């Protein structure tokens, strides 16, 4: 969950729980950074995929909305590091 009102990120990265803060950089178009990311440290089967997601979040400097349910995250060089898809979960 990326909560822009609270400027936090919280979720499950596949196996581990991740928490952090969101920084909106108003000096850049669509500037955003995920900071102070903390993760539990359980060993998991798909740990390499999880590591790639965490690195992508750490590298993110800007984003772009692709459609109503997807947002692309870009590093400082403009390379797409991840695409996030919005999930509609029932409470």
């Amino acid at each position: 969950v990326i909560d822009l009102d609270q400027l936090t990120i919280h979720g499950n990265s596949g196996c581990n729980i991740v928490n952090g803060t969101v920084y909106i950089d108003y000096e850049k178009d669509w500037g955003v950074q995920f900071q102070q990311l903390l993760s539990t440290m359980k060993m998991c089967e798909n740990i390499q995929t999880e590591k790639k997601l965490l690195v992508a979040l750490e590298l993110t400097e800007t984003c772009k909305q692709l459609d109503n349910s997807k947002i692309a995250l870009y590093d400082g060089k403009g390379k797409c590091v991840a695409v996030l898809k919005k999930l509609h979960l029932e409470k």
Side-chain angles (χ1 to χ4, degrees):
V1 175
I2 299 172
D3 187 329
L4 294 179
D5 292 332
Q6 298 293 315
L7 295 176
T8 59
I9 182 170
H10 169 78
N12 184 307
S13 57
C15 172
N16 288 289
I17 302 298
V18 176
N19 290 294
T21 60
V22 177
Y23 170 72
I24 306 298
D25 186 349
Y26 293 102
E27 294 183 13
K28 295 180 184 177
D29 288 337
W30 291 85
V32 64
Q33 294 176 357
F34 301 101
Q35 301 176 335
Q36 301 172 346
L37 293 174
L38 300 172
S39 174
T40 55
M41 298 178 67
K42 293 189 288 184
M43 288 303 296
C44 311
E45 288 183 29
N46 296 322
I47 197 72
Q48 292 306 317
T49 301
E50 187 168 284
K51 284 181 182 179
K52 287 178 184 178
L53 172 62
L54 294 174
V55 168
L57 291 174
E58 290 177 354
L59 292 174
T60 297
E61 291 195 21
T62 60
C63 63
K64 180 180 178 185
Q65 186 172 352
L66 301 177
D67 60 31
N68 288 337
S69 65
K70 292 180 188 170
I71 191 163
L73 305 178
Y74 297 92
D75 67 11
K77 297 178 182 177
K79 178 184 174 193
C80 182
V81 293
V83 175
L84 304 180
K85 182 176 180 180
K86 184 177 183 177
L87 298 177
H88 299 279
L89 303 174
E90 294 181 25
K91 291 185 178 186

